[in-house]
Amino acid sequence: MGCRLRTTVQVHPAVLEPAIPDLQSLQRQERENRWMDSSNYDRRHRVRNLSDLSLGDQVWITDTRSTGTVTSAHETPRFYLVSGSKGTLRRNRRNLVPMSADNSSKTLEHAAGVDPHDTSADTGQVSSEGPPGSPQTVRTRSGRTIKKPDRLDL
């Protein structure tokens, strides 16, 4: 395609002269290629920007599994200085989870009467309904009646 064939056929001497590409157009093309690669990666992997943290925010530090308080933003982008039980740490924003969002969701679950340790609602277990004297109808969580096959009627 772009490689010159080695042949014994004669060629014009001007074809054999090396040509230097235009540096500015080459740099522009490489910059555009890098930008397209970056945007395609971001779109494919659903990259999103995390919100900024402010001074004094309570955060969960994921790698040390402890809580801390944001003391200041670091001069490098996306990094924060966090004081916690293990001293002052420099952490990237992706390692810091704001505590206010976690606390509000737990408070809403507690107010609604949802037990966070109760897994029966999530696992699809069946519930039995009906008066105590009548045969019980077994239903799924969505309300569908479960009919057992006849072959299991022993």
Side-chain angles (χ1 to χ4, degrees):
M1 298 291 159
C3 190
R4 202 172 303 279
L5 298 176
R6 300 178 104 191
T7 179
T8 57
V9 177
Q10 295 179 353
V11 290
H12 194 273
V15 175
L16 299 175
E17 292 292 324
I20 299 174
D22 182 29
L23 182 62
Q24 292 174 347
S25 65
L26 182 65
Q27 287 175 342
R28 180 184 49 79
Q29 184 64 35
E30 288 181 356
R31 190 171 44 252
E32 289 175 3
N33 287 343
R34 278 194 307 271
W35 183 82
M36 284 302 295
D37 289 344
S38 173
S39 63
N40 286 335
Y41 179 90
D42 292 349
R43 181 178 42 82
R44 186 177 306 121
H45 295 282
R46 296 181 181 176
V47 172
R48 61 184 174 85
N49 291 329
L50 296 173
S51 62
D52 291 335
L53 298 174
S54 60
L55 193 71
D57 284 351
Q58 293 289 324
V59 293
W60 175 256
I61 308 167
T62 57
D63 56 343
T64 61
R65 296 183 181 176
S66 61
T67 60
T69 305
V70 175
T71 56
S72 67
H74 200 262
E75 63 262 6
T76 54
R78 297 182 300 275
F79 279 88
Y80 293 91
L81 293 176
V82 180
S83 62
S85 60
K86 298 185 179 184
T88 302
L89 305 171
R90 176 183 171 261
R91 289 292 181 263
N92 192 305
R93 173 61 180 89
R94 70 172 173 243
N95 294 330
L96 303 174
V97 179
M99 293 291 284
S100 61
D102 293 340
N103 290 341
S104 64
S105 65
K106 288 180 184 177
T107 306
L108 290 174
E109 288 176 358
H110 183 67
V114 176
D115 185 13
H117 303 292
D118 182 25
T119 58
S120 64
D122 299 330
T123 58
Q125 293 179 355
V126 296
S127 62
S128 301
E129 298 176 3
S134 66
Q136 293 185 342
T137 305
V138 182
R139 297 186 182 270
T140 62
R141 214 168 39 127
S142 62
R144 182 176 167 267
T145 303
I146 296 177
K147 269 181 43 178
K148 294 184 180 178
D150 292 333
R151 70 177 180 272
L152 295 178
D153 190 20
L154 299 175

